[in-house]
Amino acid sequence: MIYVLAAFALIVLVLTVVLAVTGRIKPTNCCSVADPSKDLRMRAAFEDQTD
């Protein structure tokens, strides 16, 4: 059973690498956007403050 699970994990890993190299999928950061000014959670930090 352990060999079946290990083979499945290896197939998924190899498939992901092959698809990333060929450009069919793009590995991206899942946690936040690259530009903080486009992150809606940070919008208050980039607003013009006219106090």
Side-chain angles (χ1 to χ4, degrees), residues 28-36 38-42:
T28 59
N29 190 355
C30 64
C31 299
S32 67
V33 294
D35 186 6
K38 293 181 181 177
D39 189 356
L40 295 179
R41 297 171 294 177
M42 296 291 293

Side-chain angles (χ1 to χ4, degrees), residues 13-32:
L13 180 65
V14 169
L15 185 63
T16 302
V17 169
V18 168
L19 290 176
V21 168
T22 60
R24 297 203 182 259
I25 60 171
K26 283 188 172 183
T28 59
N29 190 355
C30 64
C31 299
S32 67

